[in-house]
Every structure is written in C-alpha cells, then in structure tokens.
Amino acid sequence: MSDDSLPAPVPARAAAVIPAAGRGVRLGPGAPKALRALGGTPMLIHAVRALAASRAVSLVVVVAPPDGAAEVRSLLDTHALPDRTDFVVVPGGETRQESVKLGLDALPPGHDIVLVHDAARPLVPVDTVDAVIEAVRDGAPAVVPALPLADTVKEVEPAEVPGAPEPVVATPDRARLRAVQTPQGFDRATLVRAHETVTDDVTDDAGMVERLGLTVVAVPGHEEAFKVTRPLDLVLAEAVLARRRLNDGF
C-alpha cells in the first residue's frame, strides 16, 4: 500500500481559555473590565467571537469572576455565538495565573492545542489566531503573537515615589524587542506542566514555559489586537469597531 492511500492526519484540535475574572481598575469604577460595553456589546463577547471565528477552535472556556459565573453564562446565552463551537464557563481564582489553571483543568480530553487569550483584547483578527495555532501544529511548544516596538525603550532605576524623575540606566536595542499580544498558543501537555511546576509570579503563560527551559517562538501580531486597559484604549477600540462595521456592513 502506497503512502498516497493513507488517510490524511487529522489536525490537532484547539481549545481557548479566556481569563475574564479581573476587575480592570485602570478603566475606572463599574463593571469588571471584560463586561464593559464596546459598540453596545460586552468586550468579553467580542473576544469570545474572535477566538471562535477560527475553525480550528472547537471549545472556548471562559473563566469568570468567582462570584460572576452565572452572570457570564447568561451573557453567553443571550448573544449569538457560532454553533460549531462549544462554550464552558468556570469560576476563576484570585490571580490570573490561578484563573488560567482553573480554565485548563476544565478542558476535556481531545484538545491538544490550548490558546490563552486576554478578554481585554476584543478585536484580535482571526488570521492572528490561526497563525498562532499553525505554529503550534508545526511543533512549537509555545507561540506568542508579537509586534516590533515603534518607540525607543529606556531601562530606568524605578523611583521610590511615583512621578519622581528616574535615572536611565540603559537603552536596549529596539530591533531585538517585541511587544507581546494574545492569544498565546501552547502544546497542551507543555502548558499543563508549566502550571504545575512554575509557582513564581509571571506576567504571561509563555513566560512560564520559558522557565521550563523550552523555546517560545513569536509570530507576527496585529495592531488591532491591542489591550483595552485605559479609557483612551476604549475610544480607539470603538473607532476600530465602527470602521469594521462600515467596511463589513454588519
């Protein structure tokens, strides 16, 4: 029997974990950041739709505020989401790291690729999601979408008093620096091992994989995958969404 007669291997299925348990204090008082409205729809719904837009993503796990799981379930039920994607809501923990771990624990077997995505990046294009998944399928244990930096970066000696002048100690070579976005993609077993063994406080899941001594690779990110953290970001996100609606006619 020739190799041509063998069935093509089935591509690894992906699941996405969206930690959405944070309060988002920098956006000011009110609802948790992920539930703030963007174009009349909660940011979380935009983020869920963005991940579910990838045909490779068959499951999205939303990690809700510990006391808000029922509210988030109701939210998902009342908004149109793709029929081909399953959605699960689990209560989160005190930290982002703990919330991601709880989301990982909720994944059933059969999803060998895991994406971890910030709910506060509601406008990530599906091409970026697919590029991350493809890189994991090609053998990378961890993948991050990333952009070159437009600004010169200075390393400083942090001031003890906020707002005080800070001495510059170095100017890193900007060509070697990248601003990292999400979704970050992982071989599932690798991410599980990272969460079981790395207990230090890290800023992202890829950093945990780095602590295991494994190589994390970067793929091109997208300028519209920015994080909505401050009120000005919300203004920019509204403008991007309005332009999309004008162009796409929805």
Side-chain angles (χ1 to χ4, degrees), residues 51-132:
L51 274 291
S54 171
R55 293 193 170 274
V57 175
S58 56
L59 172 67
V60 176
V61 176
V62 178
V63 188
D67 57 353
E71 180 185 0
V72 170
R73 281 192 196 96
S74 175
L75 203 63
L76 293 179
D77 287 342
T78 56
H79 288 82
L81 299 171
D83 290 337
R84 58 184 164 76
T85 310
D86 292 329
F87 301 93
V88 174
V89 178
V90 297
E94 292 300 314
T95 65
R96 182 186 185 280
Q97 204 166 320
E98 190 180 339
S99 291
V100 172
K101 174 69 164 60
L102 289 166
L104 264 178
D105 291 344
L107 293 181
H111 299 86
D112 297 324
I113 295 173
V114 179
L115 304 178
V116 180
H117 183 60
D118 296 330
R121 296 184 191 272
L123 300 175
V124 59
V126 68
D127 288 351
T128 302
V129 179
D130 286 338
V132 170

Side-chain angles (χ1 to χ4, degrees), residues 101-174:
K101 174 69 164 60
L102 289 166
L104 264 178
D105 291 344
L107 293 181
H111 299 86
D112 297 324
I113 295 173
V114 179
L115 304 178
V116 180
H117 183 60
D118 296 330
R121 296 184 191 272
L123 300 175
V124 59
V126 68
D127 288 351
T128 302
V129 179
D130 286 338
V132 170
I133 292 170
E134 198 58 40
V136 179
R137 282 180 174 166
D138 286 345
V143 180
V144 297
L147 291 176
L149 297 184
D151 298 321
T152 296
V153 176
K154 301 289 184 183
E155 182 183 351
V156 302
E157 187 64 47
E160 293 183 10
V161 180
E166 298 175 322
V168 171
V169 297
T171 303
D173 179 4
R174 189 174 67 188

Side-chain angles (χ1 to χ4, degrees), residues 5-24:
S5 63
L6 295 176
V10 178
R13 291 199 304 165
V17 174
I18 302 181
R23 301 303 304 180

